[in-house]
Amino acid sequence: MYEETTIAAIATSPGEGGIGIIRISGEEASVVADRIFHTKKLKTFKDAEPYRMYFGHVEKEGKRIDEGLAVYMKAPHSYTGEDVVEIQIHGSTEALRETLELALESGAVLASRGEFTKRAFLNGRLDLTQAEAVMDIIEARGSAALTQAESHLQGALSRFVKDCRAKLSDLITKLEVTIDYPEEDLEDLTNEEIREGISTIEESLYNLLQRSEEGRIIKEGLRTAIVGRPNAGKSSLLNALLQEDRAIVTDIPGTTRDTIEESIKIGGVPLVLMDTAGLRETDNKVEKIGIERAWKSMEQADFILAVIDGSRPLSLEDRQILEELKGRKAMVILNKYDLPPQIEEEDIQKIAGNIPVVSISARYGSGVEELEESLRKLTEHQDRDAGRELFLTNLRHVNQVKKALEAVRRASESLESGMPADCITVDLTEAWNDMGEITGDTVDNELINRIFERFCVGK
C-alpha cells in the first residue's frame, strides 16, 4: 500500500553531470532524509521548513559521501501529493548510487518505473492525460512537441474530455426521464434535444480525430523519404542537411543499400530523414532488398524528397519516380546545379504535376539554406498551432476517441430508426465510459500499470 511505503530513486539521467537528485516520497520521507542528510541548520530534518533549501552533507557511518542541498515538500503540496524530500548533490554516478543505497538502508524501498507519477495520479494531483504528458515532455523531440505536451499537462485535453462527458451525461439523463416517466409525453421534445446533442458531440469528436495525424507529426516528426536513382546525390543531400558525413558518398552506383534514418530540427517540428537505396533495375540480391525497402519507405512517408540529377536528361527511373509523386506531399530536388543544367522545372511538373522544385548543389552546399526554408514551411502550421489547438499525440487517446465516436454514431442511428430510449442510452453510456478511460476516471488497474511501466525510474 502506498500509504505504508516510502520510495526512493535517482531522479536525474544516468551518467555524470553537474547536479544529481535523489527523490524520496512517502510518509517517512523526512525520517529517511534525516538519517542520511545532515545540516547544521536543523536538529532533525523533520523540523525542516517546507520548500526551503538546506545546505548540508550526505553521511554514512561517519564517512561523508558528498555535500549538497535538500528540500522538504509537505503533503499534499508536492509532485506526488505525499511528503517528498529531494536531495541535490554532485552528479557523480558513484555518489548518487551510494546515497540511494543509504536511503534504502534507512527505510525506503526502490521506486519502480513511473511510480512517483503514478502516485501523483492515484492521489489526485494529476489525471491520466496529465500523467502521460509528463512522459511526453521528457521525450519531446522538438519545440512544438514540448509546447503541446505542456498544454496537455495544464489540462487542455482533460477539459475537452470533461466537457464531452458532461454533455453525454446530460443526454443520458434526459433519455432516462422518458424511460422513467413515459406518461409525461416528453418524447418529442427530448428526441429533438437528443438529436442536436448527439450531433454536437459527434462533430467535436470527429474534428479532434481529424487533427490526430498532425498530432502524430508534432510528437514523432515528419517522416521524410529521400528517394532517387543511384548517384543522384541522395546521401550528399542527407549529409548537407545534417552538416556531417553520416552517409557514405562515392561515385560508385548502389553505394547505399539500406535505409539510413536521422532526425534534423528545422523549425519546431523535427524531420525524420530516411536516405534510401538508389532506385534502378539490378541483379544484385543485396541491392534488390535495399531497393524494395526504398519503395516501402516512399509509400509510408509523410513527405518525399525526390532527388534528380539536374546535369543529365531525365532517365526512365527518374520519370517513374516523378510519376509516383502525383497526389503526394513531395518536393523535387534538382541536384548538381553547379554543372550545366539539362532539366528545367517545367520538365518536372509536366510529369509530377504542380510540385515544388528546388535547385541545389549538395556537394558544395549551395542552395541548401533555401531548401531548409522550404522545408520549414512544411510544418509551420503544426509549429504555430501547437498548444493553441488541441491535438491528439497519444495513440491510446486516439483509439479511445475513435471508440467513443463509433458509440455516439450508433446512438444516432438508433435514434433515427426509432429504437427505444434505453437502447440509445446503452451506446451513449459506452461513449461516456470510453472518454473516461482517457483521463482515468473509468480505467482499470491493469491499464494504469501498463501506462506507467513505460516511464523511467525516478519519474
Side-chain angles (χ1 to χ4, degrees):
M1 296 294 291
Y2 287 121
E3 62 270 16
E4 296 176 357
T5 60
T6 295
I7 57 173
I10 299 170
T12 41
S13 298
E16 298 176 354
I19 295 175
I21 298 175
I22 301 294
R23 176 178 285 167
I24 308 167
S25 179
E27 277 191 357
E28 299 295 310
S30 61
V31 176
V32 173
D34 189 53
R35 291 170 181 166
I36 66 176
F37 187 84
H38 305 282
T39 174
K40 294 179 180 179
K41 297 288 185 180
L42 299 168
K43 288 184 179 180
T44 169
F45 206 81
K46 289 185 287 186
D47 298 330
E49 180 184 339
Y51 319 111
R52 178 179 177 181
M53 301 294 287
Y54 289 90
F55 176 77
H57 61 274
V58 177
E59 186 177 290
K60 179 180 182 180
E61 298 176 352
K63 173 191 172 184
R64 183 173 293 194
I65 294 174
D66 200 359
E67 64 180 22
L69 300 169
V71 59
Y72 170 49
M73 290 162 276
K74 188 172 179 59
H77 305 296
S78 70
Y79 180 72
T80 62
E82 304 171 328
D83 283 355
V84 172
V85 175
E86 289 189 355
I87 300 173
Q88 301 180 9
I89 57 176
H90 295 99
S92 156
T93 302
E94 187 60 24
L96 287 167
R97 184 188 64 78
E98 288 194 28
T99 303
L100 177 59
E101 285 182 356
L102 189 55
L104 300 181
E105 291 170 6
S106 300
V109 297
L110 184 64
S112 58
R113 285 179 174 270
E115 190 168 357
F116 292 99
T117 306
K118 185 177 181 179
R119 291 189 178 202
F121 165 68
L122 294 173
N123 289 324
R125 291 284 293 161
L126 304 169
D127 69 23
L128 209 49
T129 65
Q130 293 172 307
E132 290 170 295
V134 171
M135 200 62 200
D136 288 340
I137 289 172
I138 294 171
E139 296 176 343
R141 300 173 65 180
S143 60
L146 177 61
T147 300
Q148 193 62 35
E150 285 283 0
S151 173
H152 283 200
L153 182 59
Q154 296 303 316
L157 180 55
S158 304
R159 288 189 291 273
F160 176 89
V161 171
K162 184 178 180 180
D163 179 65
C164 182
R165 296 187 83 217
K167 290 176 180 176
L168 286 166
S169 181
D170 183 56
L171 293 179
I172 293 167
T173 301
K174 289 176 178 177
L175 281 166
E176 288 177 342
V177 168
T178 66
I179 297 170
D180 295 337
Y181 302 100
E183 70 280 358
E184 296 296 331
D185 196 26
L186 299 171
E187 186 174 348
D188 291 342
L189 174 62
T190 302
N191 280 358
E192 187 55 41
E193 291 177 349
I194 297 299
R195 184 176 291 105
E196 185 177 335
I198 289 177
S199 177
T200 300
I201 295 170
E202 182 180 350
E203 183 179 1
S204 65
L205 294 177
Y206 175 79
N207 289 338
L208 183 59
L209 281 175
Q210 289 296 100
R211 297 195 296 273
S212 65
E213 182 62 19
E214 295 182 68
R216 182 191 64 79
I217 291 171
I218 286 174
K219 183 176 182 179
E220 300 177 4
L222 190 75
R223 295 187 62 81
T224 305
I226 303 175
V227 300
R229 60 186 174 87
N231 279 53
K234 302 183 301 302
S235 297
S236 295
L237 173 62
L238 177 69
N239 291 342
L241 289 171
L242 294 175
Q243 297 183 358
E244 64 174 281
D245 292 333
R246 174 62 179 86
I248 298 172
V249 177
T250 73
D251 57 0
I252 302 172
T255 301
T256 302
R257 297 192 175 188
D258 201 354
T259 301
I260 299 173
E261 189 171 300
E262 290 287 343
S263 292
I264 59 170
K265 290 182 181 179
I266 299 180
V269 178
L271 267 65
V272 182
L273 299 175
M274 298 175 286
D275 181 24
T276 62
L279 300 175
R280 66 169 179 172
E281 293 293 329
T282 179
D283 294 326
N284 186 292
K285 292 183 178 180
V286 176
E287 191 178 351
K288 272 186 175 182
I289 294 171
I291 291 170
E292 288 173 4
R293 292 182 179 180
W295 284 114
K296 187 175 181 180
S297 295
M298 190 173 176
E299 291 171 7
Q300 296 176 343
D302 302 311
F303 188 76
I304 301 169
L305 283 175
V307 183
I308 304 293
D309 183 349
S311 67
R312 297 182 178 183
L314 287 172
S315 67
L316 180 63
E317 290 92 345
D318 289 330
R319 293 178 182 276
Q320 184 181 3
I321 293 167
L322 292 174
E323 286 283 349
E324 292 293 328
L325 300 184
K326 289 180 179 178
R328 297 290 304 274
K329 292 182 179 179
M331 180 183 298
V332 172
I333 310 299
L334 273 181
N335 191 27
K336 305 183 184 181
Y337 88 149
D338 51 300
L339 301 175
Q342 297 295 315
I343 304 172
E344 299 293 334
E345 184 174 332
E346 293 76 13
D347 300 329
I348 300 293
Q349 293 180 339
K350 281 179 183 177
I351 303 172
N354 188 24
I355 194 169
V357 179
V358 179
S359 296
I360 70 164
S361 172
R363 180 178 182 183
Y364 296 106
S366 305
V368 174
E369 288 186 6
E370 291 79 359
L371 171 59
E372 289 178 346
E373 182 58 35
S374 298
L375 293 175
R376 185 176 289 107
K377 293 178 180 178
L378 293 176
T379 58
E380 63 182 359
H381 167 65
Q382 291 95 339
D383 192 13
R384 181 187 66 246
D385 291 337
R388 294 167 52 185
E389 282 194 51
L390 181 60
F391 293 109
L392 292 178
T393 57
N394 185 306
L395 183 59
R396 186 182 76 85
H397 302 162
V398 172
N399 288 336
Q400 287 305 125
V401 173
K402 283 181 178 178
K403 288 168 64 178
L405 179 58
E406 289 170 3
V408 169
R409 285 175 170 168
R410 287 197 302 271
S412 178
E413 291 169 2
S414 296
L415 180 66
E416 296 306 321
S417 61
M419 296 290 285
D422 51 353
C423 294
I424 303 168
T425 300
V426 168
D427 289 323
L428 293 181
T429 301
E430 184 177 332
W432 185 84
N433 285 321
D434 289 334
M435 294 302 289
E437 284 197 31
I438 295 176
T439 52
D441 292 307
T442 58
V443 74
D444 59 43
N445 287 332
E446 184 179 348
L447 177 59
I448 290 172
N449 291 334
R450 287 203 307 269
I451 289 171
F452 287 105
E453 281 171 0
R454 63 182 276 268
F455 280 56
C456 53
V457 174
K459 198 61 185 176

